[in-house]
Amino acid sequence: MSEGATHSRTADAHAVDGRRFREVLGNFPTSVVAITTTDGEARPHGMVVGTFTSVSLDPPLVSFLADRSSTTLRTIRAAGRFCANALAGNQERLSRQLATGPAGQRFDSAMWHASDLGNPVLDGIVAWVDCAVERVVEIGDHLLVVGRVRDLRVESMKTPLLFFRSGYGDYLSSTSVLMDRLVGWDEIGR
Ligand SMILES: Cc1cc2nc3c(=O)[nH]c(=O)nc-3n(C[C@H](O)[C@H](O)[C@H](O)COP(=O)(O)O)c2cc1C
């Protein structure tokens, strides 16, 4: 066996350790996105993902990864559509409710309206992307859900909700920090 092959086997052994995998990957910040759909009786369903990403511009495709055990994914596959809602920095409570609440109560006290495709668009979000399911691909213990974009919109200029090292946080642009400092200096100088 070559030295390279030995090295890659050792590297794999480290990589498959679940605790280490989660710990290291938790250092990669993600956006917090609510994936929503409705069932046959027009009842809203949703889950929170940190794996939403754009895939292709032509054709316009986006994707997210869902655990094989996801019950929301079953509803999405049956509906053939979903909406990706980019949650805002002040929507941590809504995110917790959508991520861990009992399936029937996740939209309790949440305001939303239906998109043209029929998917819930939540109030107070940053932006949304409404999709038809294009493809579902099995990858490891997850399913990659690829959506074809049917409509999309920026709803507000609010800052996004982020997830990093097992905790929620808000986004702070370096420009706004600089502006705050400049304003502060300006006030001190007066
Ligand atoms: C910040 C954050 C990111 C998450 N990302 C994902 C993800 O990308 N894929 C996934 O399947 N679950 C993810 N989860 C967990 C799901 O939101 C949670 O397990 C959800 O309840 C699944 O619901 P379901 O079984 O009803 O579909 C995430 C949770 C949080 C809080």
Side-chain angles (χ1 to χ4, degrees):
M1 194 186 290
S2 75
E3 212 178 285
T6 314
H7 170 79
S8 100
R9 208 179 53 190
T10 314
D12 278 354
H14 279 299
V16 294
D17 178 88
R19 198 168 61 87
R20 189 187 173 94
F21 184 90
R22 281 196 206 92
E23 189 184 303
V24 174
L25 271 293
N27 285 269
F28 289 69
T30 65
S31 60
V32 180
V33 174
I35 302 291
T36 58
T37 194
T38 55
D39 62 22
E41 274 109 58
R43 285 181 303 223
H45 290 256
M47 67 189 286
V48 166
V49 302
T51 50
F52 178 77
T53 188
S54 65
V55 172
S56 158
L57 179 60
D58 185 17
L61 302 172
V62 294
S63 75
F64 68 93
L65 287 147
D67 193 283
R68 278 172 182 275
S69 65
S70 168
T71 51
T72 308
L73 179 62
R74 263 177 257 154
T75 314
I76 288 169
R77 294 185 89 165
R81 52 178 171 73
F82 66 87
C83 183
N85 298 251
L87 296 186
N90 65 349
Q91 293 185 307
E92 179 176 334
R93 199 141 63 114
L94 176 61
S95 177
R96 287 182 189 278
Q97 187 173 312
L98 287 167
T100 57
Q105 292 165 26
R106 289 190 187 166
F107 285 76
D108 282 5
S109 74
M111 303 290 285
W112 58 276
H113 69 271
S115 68
D116 285 354
L117 288 182
N119 298 312
V121 175
L122 293 156
D123 280 11
I125 59 171
V126 177
W128 54 267
V129 185
D130 209 22
C131 305
V133 174
E134 173 90 359
R135 205 188 298 178
V136 179
V137 187
E138 283 188 30
I139 301 182
D141 55 13
H142 275 62
L143 293 158
L144 176 73
V145 182
V146 180
R148 183 174 279 248
V149 179
R150 297 288 190 220
D151 198 5
L152 70 174
R153 192 167 303 166
V154 174
E155 281 291 330
S156 74
M157 293 313 289
K158 291 164 92 174
T159 51
L161 186 61
L162 303 177
F163 201 76
F164 178 61
R165 291 188 187 141
S166 310
Y168 287 96
D170 201 343
Y171 169 80
L172 201 61
S173 85
S174 35
T175 313
S176 65
V177 172
L178 190 64
M179 289 300 283
D180 281 352
R181 277 199 202 144
L182 286 172
V183 169
W185 287 341
D186 186 44
E187 278 166 6
I188 291 164
R190 252 184 246 153

Coordinates of all heavy atoms in Angstrom, one line a residue, residues 52-131:
F52 N -29.5 25.1 2.9 CA -30.1 25.7 1.7 C -29.0 26.4 0.9 O -28.2 27.1 1.5 CB -31.2 26.7 2.0 CG -31.8 27.3 0.8 CD1 -32.7 26.6 0.0 CD2 -31.4 28.6 0.4 CE1 -33.2 27.2 -1.1 CE2 -31.9 29.2 -0.7 CZ -32.8 28.5 -1.5
T53 N -29.0 26.1 -0.4 CA -28.0 26.8 -1.3 C -28.5 26.9 -2.7 O -29.3 26.1 -3.1 CB -26.6 26.0 -1.2 OG1 -25.6 26.8 -1.9 CG2 -26.7 24.7 -1.9
S54 N -27.9 27.9 -3.4 CA -28.3 27.9 -4.8 C -27.4 26.9 -5.6 O -26.3 26.6 -5.1 CB -28.0 29.3 -5.4 OG -26.6 29.6 -5.3
V55 N -27.9 26.4 -6.6 CA -27.3 25.3 -7.4 C -26.9 25.7 -8.8 O -25.8 25.5 -9.2 CB -28.2 24.0 -7.4 CG1 -27.6 23.0 -8.3 CG2 -28.4 23.5 -6.0
S56 N -27.9 26.3 -9.5 CA -27.7 26.6 -10.9 C -28.5 27.8 -11.3 O -29.6 28.0 -10.8 CB -28.1 25.4 -11.7 OG -28.4 25.7 -13.0
L57 N -28.0 28.7 -12.2 CA -28.7 29.8 -12.6 C -29.5 29.5 -13.9 O -30.6 29.9 -14.1 CB -27.7 31.0 -12.9 CG -28.3 32.3 -13.5 CD1 -29.3 32.9 -12.5 CD2 -27.2 33.3 -13.8
D58 N -28.9 28.6 -14.8 CA -29.6 28.3 -16.0 C -29.6 26.8 -16.2 O -28.5 26.2 -16.7 CB -29.0 29.0 -17.2 CG -29.7 28.8 -18.5 OD1 -30.9 28.3 -18.4 OD2 -29.1 29.0 -19.6
P59 N -30.6 26.0 -15.8 CA -31.9 26.4 -15.3 C -31.7 26.9 -13.8 O -30.8 26.5 -13.2 CB -32.7 25.2 -15.4 CG -31.8 24.1 -15.3 CD -30.5 24.5 -15.9
P60 N -32.7 27.7 -13.4 CA -32.6 28.2 -12.0 C -33.0 27.1 -11.0 O -34.1 26.7 -10.8 CB -33.6 29.3 -11.9 CG -34.6 29.0 -13.0 CD -33.9 28.2 -14.1
L61 N -31.9 26.6 -10.3 CA -32.1 25.5 -9.3 C -31.5 25.9 -7.9 O -30.5 26.5 -7.9 CB -31.4 24.2 -9.8 CG -31.8 23.7 -11.2 CD1 -30.9 22.5 -11.6 CD2 -33.3 23.2 -11.1
V62 N -32.2 25.4 -6.9 CA -31.7 25.6 -5.5 C -31.8 24.2 -4.9 O -32.4 23.3 -5.4 CB -32.5 26.6 -4.7 CG1 -32.3 28.0 -5.3 CG2 -34.0 26.2 -4.6
S63 N -31.2 24.0 -3.7 CA -31.3 22.7 -3.0 C -31.2 22.9 -1.5 O -30.8 23.9 -1.0 CB -30.2 21.8 -3.5 OG -29.0 22.2 -2.9
F64 N -31.6 21.8 -0.8 CA -31.3 21.7 0.6 C -31.2 20.2 0.9 O -31.6 19.3 0.1 CB -32.4 22.3 1.5 CG -33.7 21.6 1.5 CD1 -34.1 20.6 2.4 CD2 -34.6 22.0 0.5 CE1 -35.3 20.0 2.3 CE2 -35.9 21.3 0.4 CZ -36.2 20.4 1.3
L65 N -30.6 19.8 2.1 CA -30.5 18.4 2.5 C -31.4 18.1 3.6 O -31.5 18.9 4.6 CB -29.0 18.1 2.9 CG -28.1 18.1 1.7 CD1 -26.7 18.6 2.1 CD2 -28.0 16.7 1.1
A66 N -32.2 17.0 3.5 CA -33.1 16.6 4.6 C -32.7 15.2 5.1 O -32.3 14.3 4.3 CB -34.5 16.6 4.0
D67 N -32.7 15.1 6.4 CA -32.5 13.8 7.0 C -33.5 12.8 6.5 O -34.6 13.1 6.2 CB -32.7 13.9 8.5 CG -32.1 12.7 9.3 OD1 -32.8 11.7 9.3 OD2 -31.0 12.9 9.8
R68 N -33.0 11.5 6.3 CA -33.9 10.5 5.8 C -35.2 10.4 6.6 O -36.2 10.0 6.1 CB -33.2 9.1 5.8 CG -32.3 8.9 4.7 CD -31.5 7.6 4.9 NE -30.6 7.4 3.8 CZ -30.9 6.8 2.7 NH1 -32.1 6.3 2.5 NH2 -30.0 6.6 1.8
S69 N -35.1 10.7 7.9 CA -36.2 10.5 8.8 C -37.2 11.6 8.8 O -38.2 11.6 9.4 CB -35.7 10.3 10.2 OG -35.1 11.5 10.7
S70 N -36.9 12.7 8.0 CA -37.7 13.9 8.0 C -39.2 13.7 7.6 O -39.4 13.2 6.5 CB -37.1 15.0 7.1 OG -38.0 16.0 6.9
T71 N -40.1 14.0 8.5 CA -41.5 13.9 8.1 C -42.0 15.0 7.2 O -42.8 14.8 6.3 CB -42.4 13.9 9.4 OG1 -42.1 15.1 10.1 CG2 -42.2 12.7 10.2
T72 N -41.4 16.2 7.3 CA -41.7 17.3 6.4 C -41.3 16.9 5.0 O -42.1 17.3 4.1 CB -41.0 18.6 6.9 OG1 -41.2 18.8 8.3 CG2 -41.4 19.8 6.1
L73 N -40.2 16.2 4.8 CA -39.8 15.9 3.5 C -40.8 15.0 2.8 O -41.1 15.1 1.6 CB -38.4 15.2 3.5 CG -37.9 14.7 2.1 CD1 -37.7 15.9 1.2 CD2 -36.7 13.9 2.2
R74 N -41.5 14.1 3.6 CA -42.5 13.3 3.0 C -43.7 14.1 2.4 O -44.2 13.9 1.4 CB -43.0 12.3 4.0 CG -42.4 10.9 3.9 CD -42.9 10.0 5.0 NE -41.8 9.9 6.0 CZ -42.1 9.6 7.3 NH1 -43.3 9.3 7.7 NH2 -41.1 9.5 8.1
T75 N -44.0 15.1 3.2 CA -45.1 16.0 2.8 C -44.7 16.8 1.5 O -45.4 17.0 0.6 CB -45.5 17.0 3.9 OG1 -45.6 16.3 5.1 CG2 -46.8 17.7 3.6
I76 N -43.4 17.3 1.5 CA -42.9 18.0 0.4 C -42.9 17.1 -0.9 O -43.3 17.6 -2.0 CB -41.4 18.5 0.7 CG1 -41.5 19.6 1.7 CG2 -40.7 19.0 -0.6 CD1 -40.1 20.0 2.3
R77 N -42.5 15.9 -0.7 CA -42.5 15.0 -1.9 C -43.9 14.7 -2.4 O -44.1 14.7 -3.6 CB -41.8 13.7 -1.6 CG -40.3 13.9 -1.3 CD -39.6 12.5 -1.0 NE -39.1 12.0 -2.3 CZ -38.2 11.0 -2.3 NH1 -37.8 10.5 -1.2 NH2 -37.8 10.6 -3.5
A78 N -44.8 14.6 -1.5 CA -46.2 14.4 -1.9 C -46.8 15.7 -2.6 O -47.5 15.6 -3.6 CB -47.1 14.1 -0.7
A79 N -46.4 16.8 -2.1 CA -46.9 18.1 -2.7 C -46.2 18.4 -4.0 O -46.7 19.1 -4.9 CB -46.8 19.2 -1.7
G80 N -44.9 18.0 -4.0 CA -44.1 18.3 -5.2 C -43.6 19.8 -5.2 O -43.2 20.3 -6.3
R81 N -43.6 20.4 -4.1 CA -43.2 21.9 -4.1 C -42.8 22.3 -2.7 O -43.3 21.6 -1.7 CB -44.4 22.7 -4.6 CG -45.7 22.4 -3.8 CD -46.8 23.3 -4.2 NE -48.1 22.8 -3.6 CZ -48.4 22.9 -2.4 NH1 -47.6 23.5 -1.5 NH2 -49.5 22.4 -1.9
F82 N -42.0 23.3 -2.6 CA -41.6 23.9 -1.3 C -41.2 25.3 -1.5 O -40.9 25.8 -2.6 CB -40.5 23.1 -0.6 CG -39.2 23.2 -1.4 CD1 -38.3 24.2 -1.1 CD2 -38.9 22.2 -2.4 CE1 -37.1 24.2 -1.8 CE2 -37.7 22.3 -3.0 CZ -36.8 23.3 -2.7
C83 N -41.2 26.1 -0.3 CA -40.7 27.4 -0.4 C -39.6 27.5 0.7 O -39.7 27.0 1.8 CB -41.9 28.4 0.0 SG -41.3 30.1 -0.1
A84 N -38.5 28.2 0.3 CA -37.4 28.4 1.2 C -37.5 29.8 1.7 O -37.5 30.8 0.9 CB -36.1 28.2 0.5
N85 N -37.7 30.0 3.0 CA -37.9 31.3 3.7 C -36.6 31.6 4.5 O -36.3 30.9 5.4 CB -39.0 31.3 4.7 CG -40.4 31.0 4.1 OD1 -41.2 31.8 4.1 ND2 -40.6 29.7 3.7
A86 N -35.9 32.7 4.1 CA -34.7 33.1 4.8 C -35.2 33.9 6.1 O -35.7 35.0 6.0 CB -33.8 34.0 3.9
L87 N -35.0 33.2 7.2 CA -35.4 33.9 8.5 C -34.6 35.1 8.8 O -33.4 35.1 8.5 CB -35.4 32.9 9.6 CG -36.4 31.7 9.5 CD1 -36.4 30.8 10.8 CD2 -37.8 32.1 9.2
A88 N -35.2 36.0 9.5 CA -34.5 37.3 9.9 C -33.9 37.1 11.3 O -34.3 36.2 12.1 CB -35.5 38.4 9.9
G89 N -32.9 38.0 11.6 CA -32.2 37.9 12.9 C -33.1 37.9 14.1 O -32.7 37.4 15.1
N90 N -34.3 38.5 14.0 CA -35.2 38.6 15.2 C -36.2 37.4 15.2 O -37.2 37.5 15.9 CB -35.9 39.9 15.2 CG -36.8 40.1 14.0 OD1 -36.8 39.4 13.1 ND2 -37.7 41.1 14.1
Q91 N -35.9 36.4 14.4 CA -36.9 35.3 14.3 C -36.4 34.0 14.9 O -36.8 32.9 14.5 CB -37.4 35.0 12.9 CG -38.2 36.2 12.3 CD -38.7 36.0 10.9 OE1 -37.9 35.6 10.0 NE2 -40.0 36.1 10.7
E92 N -35.5 34.1 16.0 CA -35.0 32.9 16.6 C -36.1 32.0 17.2 O -36.1 30.8 17.1 CB -34.0 33.3 17.7 CG -33.4 32.1 18.4 CD -32.4 32.5 19.4 OE1 -31.7 33.5 19.3 OE2 -32.2 31.7 20.4
R93 N -37.1 32.7 17.8 CA -38.2 31.9 18.5 C -39.0 31.1 17.5 O -39.3 30.0 17.7 CB -39.1 32.9 19.2 CG -40.0 32.2 20.3 CD -40.1 33.0 21.5 NE -40.8 34.3 21.3 CZ -42.0 34.6 21.8 NH1 -42.6 33.7 22.5 NH2 -42.5 35.7 21.5
L94 N -39.3 31.8 16.3 CA -40.0 31.1 15.2 C -39.1 29.9 14.7 O -39.7 28.8 14.5 CB -40.3 32.1 14.1 CG -40.9 31.5 12.8 CD1 -42.3 30.9 13.2 CD2 -41.1 32.5 11.8
S95 N -37.8 30.1 14.6 CA -37.0 29.0 14.2 C -37.0 27.8 15.1 O -37.1 26.7 14.7 CB -35.5 29.5 14.0 OG -34.7 28.4 13.7
R96 N -37.0 28.1 16.4 CA -37.0 27.0 17.4 C -38.4 26.3 17.3 O -38.4 25.1 17.4 CB -36.8 27.6 18.8 CG -35.4 28.0 19.1 CD -35.3 28.5 20.6 NE -34.0 29.1 20.8 CZ -32.9 28.5 21.0 NH1 -32.9 27.1 21.2 NH2 -31.7 29.1 21.2
Q97 N -39.4 27.0 17.1 CA -40.8 26.4 17.0 C -40.9 25.5 15.8 O -41.4 24.4 15.8 CB -41.8 27.6 16.9 CG -43.2 27.1 17.0 CD -44.2 28.2 17.1 OE1 -44.0 29.2 17.9 NE2 -45.2 28.2 16.3
L98 N -40.3 26.0 14.7 CA -40.3 25.2 13.4 C -39.4 24.0 13.4 O -39.7 23.0 12.8 CB -40.0 26.1 12.2 CG -41.1 27.1 11.8 CD1 -40.5 28.1 10.8 CD2 -42.3 26.4 11.2
A99 N -38.3 24.1 14.2 CA -37.3 23.1 14.2 C -37.7 22.0 15.2 O -37.4 20.8 15.0 CB -35.9 23.6 14.6
T100 N -38.3 22.3 16.3 CA -38.5 21.3 17.4 C -40.0 21.2 17.8 O -40.3 20.3 18.6 CB -37.7 21.7 18.6 OG1 -38.0 23.0 19.1 CG2 -36.2 21.7 18.3
G101 N -40.8 22.0 17.4 CA -42.2 21.9 17.8 C -42.9 20.7 17.2 O -42.5 20.2 16.2
P102 N -44.0 20.2 17.9 CA -44.8 19.1 17.3 C -45.3 19.5 16.0 O -45.7 20.7 15.8 CB -45.9 18.9 18.3 CG -45.5 19.7 19.6 CD -44.6 20.8 19.1
A103 N -45.3 18.5 15.0 CA -45.7 18.8 13.6 C -46.9 19.7 13.5 O -46.9 20.6 12.7 CB -45.8 17.5 12.9
G104 N -48.0 19.4 14.3 CA -49.2 20.2 14.1 C -49.2 21.6 14.7 O -50.2 22.3 14.5
Q105 N -48.2 21.9 15.5 CA -48.2 23.2 16.2 C -47.1 24.1 15.7 O -46.9 25.2 16.3 CB -48.0 22.9 17.7 CG -49.2 22.3 18.3 CD -49.0 21.7 19.7 OE1 -48.1 22.2 20.4 NE2 -49.7 20.7 20.1
R106 N -46.3 23.7 14.7 CA -45.2 24.5 14.3 C -45.5 25.9 13.8 O -44.7 26.8 13.8 CB -44.4 23.8 13.3 CG -43.7 22.6 13.9 CD -42.7 22.0 12.9 NE -42.2 20.8 13.5 CZ -41.5 19.9 12.9 NH1 -41.2 20.0 11.6 NH2 -41.0 18.8 13.5
F107 N -46.8 26.1 13.3 CA -47.2 27.4 12.7 C -48.1 28.1 13.6 O -48.6 29.2 13.3 CB -47.8 27.2 11.3 CG -46.8 26.9 10.2 CD1 -46.3 25.6 10.1 CD2 -46.4 27.8 9.3 CE1 -45.3 25.3 9.2 CE2 -45.5 27.6 8.3 CZ -45.0 26.3 8.3
D108 N -48.2 27.6 14.9 CA -49.1 28.3 15.9 C -48.6 29.7 16.1 O -47.4 29.9 16.3 CB -49.1 27.6 17.2 CG -50.0 26.4 17.2 OD1 -50.5 26.1 16.1 OD2 -50.1 25.7 18.3
S109 N -49.5 30.7 16.0 CA -49.2 32.1 16.1 C -48.2 32.7 15.1 O -47.7 33.8 15.2 CB -48.7 32.5 17.5 OG -47.4 32.0 17.7
A110 N -47.8 31.9 14.1 CA -47.0 32.4 13.0 C -47.9 32.9 11.9 O -48.9 32.3 11.5 CB -46.1 31.3 12.4
M111 N -47.6 34.1 11.4 CA -48.4 34.7 10.3 C -47.7 34.3 8.9 O -46.5 34.4 8.8 CB -48.4 36.2 10.4 CG -48.9 36.8 11.7 SD -50.7 36.5 11.9 CE -51.3 37.8 10.8
W112 N -48.6 33.9 8.0 CA -48.0 33.6 6.7 C -49.1 33.7 5.6 O -50.3 33.8 6.0 CB -47.5 32.1 6.7 CG -48.5 31.1 7.0 CD1 -48.8 30.7 8.3 CD2 -49.3 30.3 6.2 NE1 -49.8 29.7 8.3 CE2 -50.1 29.4 7.0 CE3 -49.4 30.2 4.8 CZ2 -51.0 28.5 6.4 CZ3 -50.3 29.3 4.2 CH2 -51.1 28.5 5.0
H113 N -48.7 33.8 4.4 CA -49.7 33.7 3.3 C -49.2 32.7 2.3 O -48.0 32.3 2.3 CB -49.9 35.1 2.6 CG -48.7 35.5 1.9 ND1 -47.6 36.3 2.4 CD2 -48.3 35.4 0.5 CE1 -46.7 36.5 1.5 NE2 -47.1 36.0 0.4
A114 N -50.1 32.2 1.4 CA -49.7 31.2 0.4 C -49.1 31.8 -0.8 O -49.6 32.8 -1.3 CB -50.9 30.3 0.1
S115 N -48.0 31.2 -1.3 CA -47.4 31.7 -2.5 C -48.3 31.2 -3.7 O -49.3 30.5 -3.5 CB -46.0 31.0 -2.7 OG -46.2 29.6 -2.9
D116 N -47.9 31.6 -4.9 CA -48.7 31.2 -6.1 C -48.7 29.6 -6.2 O -49.7 29.0 -6.6 CB -48.1 31.8 -7.4 CG -48.5 33.2 -7.5 OD1 -49.3 33.7 -6.7 OD2 -48.0 33.9 -8.4
L117 N -47.6 29.0 -5.8 CA -47.6 27.5 -5.8 C -48.4 26.9 -4.7 O -48.7 25.7 -4.7 CB -46.2 27.0 -5.8 CG -45.3 27.2 -7.0 CD1 -43.9 26.6 -6.7 CD2 -45.9 26.6 -8.2
G118 N -48.7 27.7 -3.7 CA -49.5 27.2 -2.5 C -48.7 27.0 -1.3 O -49.1 26.5 -0.3
N119 N -47.4 27.4 -1.3 CA -46.5 27.2 -0.1 C -46.6 28.3 0.8 O -46.7 29.5 0.4 CB -45.0 27.0 -0.6 CG -44.8 25.8 -1.5 OD1 -45.3 24.7 -1.2 ND2 -44.2 26.1 -2.7
P120 N -46.4 28.1 2.1 CA -46.4 29.2 3.1 C -45.2 30.1 3.0 O -44.1 29.6 3.0 CB -46.4 28.5 4.5 CG -47.0 27.1 4.2 CD -46.5 26.8 2.8
V121 N -45.5 31.4 2.8 CA -44.5 32.4 2.9 C -44.7 33.1 4.2 O -45.7 33.7 4.5 CB -44.6 33.5 1.7 CG1 -43.6 34.6 1.9 CG2 -44.5 32.8 0.4
L122 N -43.7 33.0 5.1 CA -43.8 33.5 6.5 C -43.6 35.1 6.5 O -42.9 35.6 5.7 CB -42.7 32.9 7.4 CG -42.9 31.4 7.6 CD1 -41.6 30.7 8.0 CD2 -43.9 31.2 8.7
D123 N -44.4 35.7 7.4 CA -44.2 37.2 7.6 C -42.9 37.5 8.3 O -42.4 36.6 9.1 CB -45.4 37.7 8.5 CG -46.7 37.9 7.8 OD1 -46.7 37.4 6.6 OD2 -47.6 38.5 8.3
G124 N -42.3 38.6 8.0 CA -41.2 39.1 8.7 C -39.8 38.5 8.3 O -38.8 38.7 9.0
I125 N -39.8 37.8 7.2 CA -38.6 37.1 6.7 C -37.7 38.1 5.8 O -38.2 39.2 5.5 CB -38.9 35.8 5.9 CG1 -39.7 36.2 4.7 CG2 -39.5 34.8 6.8 CD1 -39.9 35.0 3.7
V126 N -36.6 37.6 5.4 CA -35.7 38.5 4.6 C -36.0 38.3 3.1 O -36.2 39.2 2.4 CB -34.2 38.1 4.9 CG1 -33.3 38.9 3.9 CG2 -33.8 38.4 6.3
A127 N -36.2 37.0 2.7 CA -36.4 36.7 1.3 C -37.0 35.3 1.2 O -36.9 34.5 2.1 CB -35.1 36.8 0.5
W128 N -37.6 35.0 0.0 CA -38.1 33.7 -0.2 C -37.9 33.2 -1.6 O -37.8 34.0 -2.5 CB -39.6 33.6 0.2 CG -40.5 34.6 -0.5 CD1 -40.9 35.8 0.1 CD2 -41.2 34.5 -1.7 NE1 -41.7 36.4 -0.8 CE2 -41.9 35.6 -1.9 CE3 -41.2 33.5 -2.7 CZ2 -42.7 35.9 -3.1 CZ3 -42.0 33.7 -3.9 CH2 -42.7 34.9 -4.0
V129 N -37.8 31.9 -1.8 CA -37.7 31.2 -3.1 C -38.7 30.1 -3.2 O -38.7 29.2 -2.4 CB -36.2 30.7 -3.3 CG1 -36.1 30.1 -4.7 CG2 -35.2 31.7 -3.0
D130 N -39.6 30.2 -4.1 CA -40.7 29.3 -4.3 C -40.3 28.2 -5.4 O -40.0 28.6 -6.5 CB -42.0 30.0 -4.7 CG -43.3 29.4 -4.2 OD1 -43.2 28.6 -3.3 OD2 -44.3 29.7 -4.8
C131 N -40.5 27.0 -5.1 CA -39.9 25.9 -6.0 C -40.8 24.7 -6.2 O -41.6 24.4 -5.3 CB -38.6 25.3 -5.3 SG -37.4 26.5 -4.9

